[in-house]
Amino acid sequence: LTCGAGATVDPDQCIACLTCVRVCPYEVPMLQRGTAEVVVDQCQACGICATECPAKAIRMKLYTEDDMPKDIRTAVRDARGSANGEPAIIGFTCRYCAYNGMEANVVRSKFPKNIQTIDVLCTGKVDELFMLKAFEAGADGVFVAGCIEGACHNEKGTVHAGQRVTYVKKLLDELGINGARLEMVRAPAKQCVDLNTAAAALSAKVKKLGPSPVRRS
């Protein structure tokens, strides 16, 4: 699971030669505003474009666990900052399976502002500490959107994520935070998660529970 998080293009170095467009087996790069652009939600992180780019304008980003705490704090801040009385909901979502074949930004644009998601390469990478840190940062509710059953590149990814969610729910109960604030959203076989419905359902449930005790403290 230590794979890349996608390709990024430096527009100041890009010479718009279209090499990346020609060599990408997934047809992800495109020409936008005079330079190449890679849609990170569609990038498979194979690295071919970076290798073939004659201008060396493409870099592969490696997403590490060191990046996650910062992303969690940012997501919680954004969710709380525009909640308007609604609970702050944070979701850890598989970038390949959770958006129903659509671009992540398109799906996220339909979310209420109190719901923020953090993309991961696989839900199997979502550690127990990440879930707890989201509550520590002030989230009222957290969900993990699992990969498609039987179609994940890591067969055990959703299984491991589900086990961790179950464990953290027990911890939350013991801490007096209420394990019902955490959910594992699973995708049926050959289907993607209906992320909008799942997130809205959790938000409605958490609203009845009230603000997280951690947030009130």
Side-chain angles (χ1 to χ4, degrees):
L1 292 179
T2 55
C3 45
T8 59
V9 181
D10 183 344
D12 294 328
Q13 288 185 249
C14 178
I15 57 176
C17 64
L18 301 182
T19 298
C20 57
V21 176
R22 293 194 299 269
V23 302
C24 178
Y26 305 104
E27 300 182 351
V28 175
M30 61 185 72
L31 197 65
Q32 295 279 8
R33 297 178 292 277
T35 63
E37 183 174 303
V38 176
V39 181
V40 68
D41 302 315
Q42 298 176 10
C43 180
Q44 302 297 301
C46 66
I48 295 175
C49 61
T51 302
E52 296 293 329
C53 178
K56 302 302 179 185
I58 301 177
R59 300 285 185 273
M60 300 304 297
K61 178 183 177 184
L62 181 64
Y63 194 91
T64 70
E65 290 190 358
D66 294 335
D67 298 310
M68 186 59 78
K70 179 183 68 175
D71 289 348
I72 290 172
R73 290 192 297 270
T74 299
V76 173
R77 181 198 65 204
D78 292 346
R80 292 187 61 172
S82 52
N84 293 324
E86 297 296 316
I89 305 296
I90 303 301
F92 296 98
T93 53
C94 171
R95 71 151 59 156
Y96 299 116
C97 302
Y99 295 104
N100 206 21
M102 301 174 64
E103 289 187 20
N105 288 338
V106 173
V107 177
R108 281 195 290 258
S109 68
K110 299 178 182 179
F111 286 164
K113 297 299 183 182
N114 67 301
I115 299 174
Q116 299 288 326
T117 59
I118 301 170
D119 289 351
V120 294
L121 293 170
C122 177
T123 50
K125 292 180 71 68
V126 181
D127 190 87
E128 294 97 333
L129 287 176
F130 297 163
M131 305 176 208
L132 291 171
K133 281 187 176 295
F135 285 105
E136 181 184 49
D140 296 307
V142 175
F143 67 89
V144 178
C147 301
I148 301 171
E149 184 180 331
C152 180
H153 69 285
N154 172 23
E155 291 183 3
K156 301 288 187 176
T158 299
V159 174
H160 291 162
Q163 292 171 343
R164 291 168 188 157
V165 166
T166 299
Y167 173 69
V168 174
K169 285 172 75 73
K170 292 180 181 178
L171 284 181
L172 294 175
D173 283 334
E174 293 173 2
L175 292 169
I177 298 174
N178 195 333
R181 296 179 183 275
L182 173 65
E183 280 191 0
M184 178 74 189
V185 181
R186 300 179 185 274
K190 299 181 180 179
Q191 296 182 38
C192 288
V193 173
D194 185 345
L195 206 55
N196 297 76
T197 300
L202 177 61
S203 182
K205 181 173 73 172
V206 171
K207 187 174 184 178
K208 293 180 180 179
L209 297 175
S212 166
V214 178
R215 180 173 172 176
R216 290 198 299 263
S217 61

